[in-house]
Amino acid sequence: MTQPGSAYSLDKQEQNPESHTISVLVDNEPGVLARVIGLFSGRGYNIESLTVSETEHEAHLSRITIVTTGTPMVIEQIKHKLDRLVPIHSVNDLTVLGQPIERELALLKVAGTGEKRVEALGLAEAFHAEIIDSSTEHFVFEITGEQSRIEEFIALMQPLGLVEVCRTGLAAIARGAERM
């Protein structure tokens, strides 16, 4: 039996995978995203969510938001390797910085008639999802929010005729007045 604080129990704690949201500010130039993704695939790290967009047009900077899971040691390796890639300006682990604001957008196509159609409309209203396309046989809903809320909406739409889902991936920003 191991004592709390022993080497074995510390090693065991370090093996617990954690989900982290990492924000990377990079030059907006060809090949940068491929280099970042190559770092993950080359080492067998998984990317659960990935969003990229130019955020500072005049400075030609893009922000890559990556959600990945790994042990604390693996997360540190990822951040260290990212920090060493050129043309990366900064790497921030938003999870470590504390309670980032995270949102995602999803589009859901739901086909149905009668009671299921009415129920789908009611759920969409309760979740504040917008109808962005409709016919007598289908709806396309747009919903934004936390991933857990979107997952819940998708699960509820499943038995009502969910046909297709398209998700953007996570957009996240740190709380507070500091700039990345």
Side-chain angles (χ1 to χ4, degrees):
M1 190 144 146
T2 61
Q3 297 293 327
S6 71
Y8 176 76
S9 66
L10 287 177
D11 287 344
K12 195 163 177 104
Q13 283 178 344
E14 284 198 24
Q15 297 307 313
N16 291 334
E18 305 171 343
S19 181
H20 282 251
T21 303
I22 300 170
S23 185
V24 185
L25 194 61
V26 300
D27 286 340
N28 185 14
E29 59 185 44
V32 175
L33 181 59
R35 291 177 68 195
V36 169
I37 291 172
L39 181 145
F40 279 79
S41 64
R43 288 166 180 76
Y45 304 145
N46 188 40
I47 296 174
E48 295 173 12
S49 174
L50 175 72
T51 55
V52 184
S53 184
E54 186 174 62
T55 55
E56 297 181 38
H57 184 68
E58 293 186 14
H60 300 289
L61 295 177
S62 288
R63 182 179 182 133
I64 302 173
T65 304
I66 303 165
V67 178
T68 190
T69 300
T71 63
M73 188 175 79
V74 166
I75 298 295
E76 284 304 313
Q77 286 175 340
I78 289 170
K79 292 188 301 189
H80 180 70
K81 298 282 186 192
L82 283 170
D83 217 12
R84 290 182 25 201
L85 281 179
V86 178
I88 290 182
H89 294 271
S90 67
V91 176
N92 289 295
D93 187 340
L94 299 178
T95 304
V96 170
L97 293 176
Q99 303 284 311
I101 299 167
E102 300 176 332
R103 295 293 184 267
E104 185 175 10
L105 177 135
L107 302 176
L108 285 77
K109 185 183 294 183
V110 179
T113 58
E115 288 295 315
K116 288 187 176 185
R117 183 177 177 87
V118 172
E119 192 174 344
L121 281 170
L123 282 171
E125 186 176 328
F127 277 80
H128 303 289
E130 282 189 53
I131 301 168
I132 58 171
D133 187 49
S134 67
S135 74
T136 57
E137 297 153 359
H138 85 282
F139 290 106
V140 175
F141 297 109
E142 175 185 301
I143 183 170
T144 59
E146 295 177 351
Q147 285 183 317
S148 60
R149 182 171 166 262
I150 290 173
E151 291 289 342
E152 184 180 359
F153 186 64
I154 290 170
L156 291 170
M157 287 295 173
Q158 204 79 338
L160 301 178
L162 183 65
V163 175
E164 189 175 353
V165 177
C166 179
R167 296 174 76 162
T168 60
L170 198 67
I173 196 163
R175 294 183 186 272
E178 298 82 30
R179 182 184 168 124
M180 187 171 136

